């Protein structure tokens, strides 16, 4: 009845209504019409009649289009860190599914392509990635199409583009990384450990000497005797333990960090001795806090990680996403909140 009344109104007000109800659809497009909320068969190409007030419509482009996956850091199987992006070409083969199944077609396909690329490259060595880029692109093409075929979309081509090798494979490292400027007094050590040690001891000495003793604390680090071992054990002489790392975390807690993260974490650490240690990191209110033991309330996220992987996370050698996808970081709870730990890692640098 409603459709008949609207059609009658359109006829009575013709030809004025014709300017609003008649649409021209090109050959490379289809028009999807929802009439009173129900989807109609794709319309076009040519002239299409729309009923006012009860028809809502959307155009779907059937031409081949392309987008790029922004370069992201990926850790390969042999420990190399590379910046890798991709160019993806796709087309819509079912306009109805493309409208019904997903809201933002390009954004959803880009996220699917990025996740598939990260998972695939983590299983390859740097040499395999460099030599077999075409074959890896074909493999990604099949994996992405398995996900997007239910959206009415087909990917025609995936071309990988390597931006840079940020860190060579671990077996090829012969000394300290040259990209990190050395900290005076800590030459010969890994650059990330130098930064963490400088931050840890800089904070410790500043607390011990007060505001006026800060320059003297910096001089004391520069004047370390390389022959005679210092009386205070330096954190940089070895990889810091889990307790030392989490103690250093307490010095970087702030209201700004809490506003960025807004979650609480229970961290279960498997120590090298075979025992377990539990810490609670609260970044949900105030300036944040960290304590040892099981929290009183229920944490937003529970993490389980080995002591070695925890060291790699806080020293910047391992990203939370890569750790999770490789199974080195086990997450119980909201994965999105778990990956916000990267803000804490950035604050440690």
């Amino acid at each position: 009845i409603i459709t008949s009344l609207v059609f009658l109104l359109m006829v009575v007000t013709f030809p004025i209504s014709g300017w609003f109800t008649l649409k021209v659809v090109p050959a490379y497009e289809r028009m999807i019409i929802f009439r009173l909320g129900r989807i109609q068969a794709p319309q076009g190409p040519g002239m299409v009649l729309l009923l006012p007030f009860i028809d809502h419509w959307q155009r779907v482009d059937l031409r081949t289009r392309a987008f790029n996956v922004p370069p992201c850091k990926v850790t390969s199987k042999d420990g190399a860190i590379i910046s890798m992006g991709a160019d993806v070409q796709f087309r819509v083969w079912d306009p109805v599914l493309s409208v019904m199944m997903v809201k933002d077609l390009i954004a959803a396909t880009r996220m699917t392509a990025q996740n598939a690329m990260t998972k695939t490259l983590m299983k390859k060595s740097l040499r395999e990635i460099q030599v077999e880029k075409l074959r890896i692109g074909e493999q990604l093409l099949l994996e992405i199409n398995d996900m997007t075929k239910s959206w009415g979309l087909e990917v025609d081509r995936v071309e990988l583009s390597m931006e840079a090798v940020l860190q060579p494979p671990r077996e090829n490292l012969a000394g300290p990384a040259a990209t990190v400027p050395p900290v005076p007094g800590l030459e010969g050590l890994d650059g990330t450990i130098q930064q963490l040690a400088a931050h840890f001891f800089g904070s410790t000495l500043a607390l011990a000497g007060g505001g006026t003793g800060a320059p003297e604390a910096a001089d004391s680090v520069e004047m370390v005797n390389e022959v005679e071992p210092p009386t205070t054990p330096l954190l940089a002489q070895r990889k810091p333990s889990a307790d030392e790392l989490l103690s250093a975390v307490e010095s970087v807690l702030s209201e700004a960090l809490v506003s960025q993260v807004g979650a609480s974490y229970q961290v279960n650490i498997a120590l090298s001795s075979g025992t377990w240690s539990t810490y609670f990191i609260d970044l949900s209110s105030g300036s944040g806090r960290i304590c040892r033991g099981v929290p009183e309330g229920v944490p937003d996220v529970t993490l389980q990680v080995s002591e070695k992987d925890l060291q790699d996370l806080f020293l910047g050698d391992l990203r939370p996403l890569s750790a999770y996808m490789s199974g080195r970081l086990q997450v119980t709870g909201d994965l999105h909140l778990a990956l916000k730990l990267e803000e804490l890692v950035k604050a440690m640098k």
Side-chain angles (χ1 to χ4, degrees):
I1 293 175
I2 294 176
T3 303
S4 300
L5 291 176
V6 172
F7 186 80
L8 179 61
L9 176 63
M10 183 188 64
V11 173
V12 171
T13 58
F14 192 83
I16 298 176
S17 61
W19 291 99
F20 307 98
T21 59
L22 294 177
K23 302 292 182 182
V24 177
V25 180
Y28 57 82
E29 288 185 351
R30 296 295 182 269
M31 183 173 289
I32 304 300
I33 301 175
F34 292 88
R35 180 163 297 165
L36 293 176
R38 295 184 178 181
I39 193 168
Q40 308 294 311
Q43 302 294 318
M47 191 78 69
V48 175
L49 176 65
L50 299 175
L51 299 182
F53 309 115
I54 63 173
D55 279 358
H56 298 277
W57 53 277
Q58 180 175 340
R59 294 178 182 267
V60 178
D61 196 329
L62 302 182
R63 292 175 293 183
T64 298
R65 289 175 286 169
F67 64 85
N68 69 306
V69 178
C72 58
K73 293 182 181 179
V74 180
T75 303
S76 63
K77 184 175 65 174
D78 54 358
I81 300 178
I82 60 176
S83 178
M84 180 70 77
D87 297 321
V88 179
Q89 295 181 1
F90 72 98
R91 62 182 180 86
V92 174
W93 62 271
D94 191 322
V96 175
L97 289 178
S98 68
V99 173
M100 293 289 293
M101 299 303 295
V102 63
K103 182 178 180 180
D104 191 332
L105 195 63
I106 294 181
T109 308
R110 178 183 284 113
M111 184 176 296
T112 301
Q114 186 170 8
N115 292 338
M117 181 183 70
T118 303
K119 290 181 180 179
T120 301
L121 296 182
M122 287 179 61
K123 302 175 183 177
K124 305 287 185 180
S125 65
L126 177 60
R127 180 174 178 79
E128 290 174 337
I129 294 174
Q130 293 173 332
V131 175
E132 303 177 0
K133 286 175 59 177
L134 294 178
R135 192 179 66 82
I136 295 175
E138 295 173 355
Q139 179 182 349
L140 289 175
L141 178 68
L142 298 177
E143 293 182 7
I144 298 172
N145 276 328
D146 286 341
M147 295 290 296
T148 60
K149 64 182 179 182
S150 60
W151 303 345
L153 179 145
E154 182 179 6
V155 176
D156 294 331
R157 183 181 181 186
V158 177
E159 183 175 351
L160 297 177
S161 58
M162 182 180 297
E163 299 293 327
V165 179
L166 304 180
Q167 177 178 305
R170 289 176 181 171
E171 60 265 25
N172 293 336
L173 293 178
T179 57
V180 181
V183 178
L186 301 178
E187 296 87 356
L189 299 173
D190 183 76
T192 309
I193 302 180
Q194 292 181 27
Q195 291 181 350
L196 182 59
H199 170 79
F200 181 84
F201 287 104
S203 303
T204 304
L205 294 173
L207 291 174
T212 59
E216 296 179 2
D219 291 339
S220 65
V221 176
E222 294 179 355
M223 298 301 294
V224 169
N225 192 331
E226 296 184 0
V227 178
E228 298 179 5
T231 56
T232 304
L234 286 176
L235 180 64
Q237 290 180 337
R238 56 180 173 81
K239 275 199 172 183
S241 65
D243 291 339
E244 291 171 332
L245 280 173
L246 293 169
S247 297
V249 168
E250 190 172 8
S251 63
V252 301
L253 298 182
S254 64
E255 294 183 359
L257 184 61
V258 169
S259 64
Q260 291 178 334
V261 180
S264 58
Y265 303 87
Q266 176 180 330
V267 186
N268 300 324
I269 308 169
L271 303 177
S272 56
S273 60
T275 59
W276 288 85
S277 181
T278 301
Y279 274 84
F280 177 62
I281 304 176
D282 186 6
L283 298 176
S284 60
S285 60
S287 299
R289 65 188 180 92
I290 181 171
C291 58
R292 188 167 187 173
V294 180
E296 297 178 358
V298 179
D300 297 318
V301 182
T302 301
L303 307 174
Q304 184 170 311
V305 64
S306 68
E307 184 177 22
K308 180 181 180 302
D309 292 334
L310 184 70
Q311 293 168 345
D312 292 340
L313 282 171
F314 280 103
L315 297 178
D317 297 333
L318 180 65
R319 295 185 61 188
L321 178 60
S322 301
Y324 171 74
M325 298 182 66
S326 61
R328 299 165 68 178
L329 176 65
Q330 299 181 19
V331 177
T332 303
D334 192 335
L335 178 59
H336 178 69
L337 292 178
L339 297 182
K340 283 190 174 183
L341 276 177
E342 192 155 1
E343 299 297 333
L344 181 60
V345 175
K346 292 178 182 178
M348 293 284 295
K349 295 183 179 179

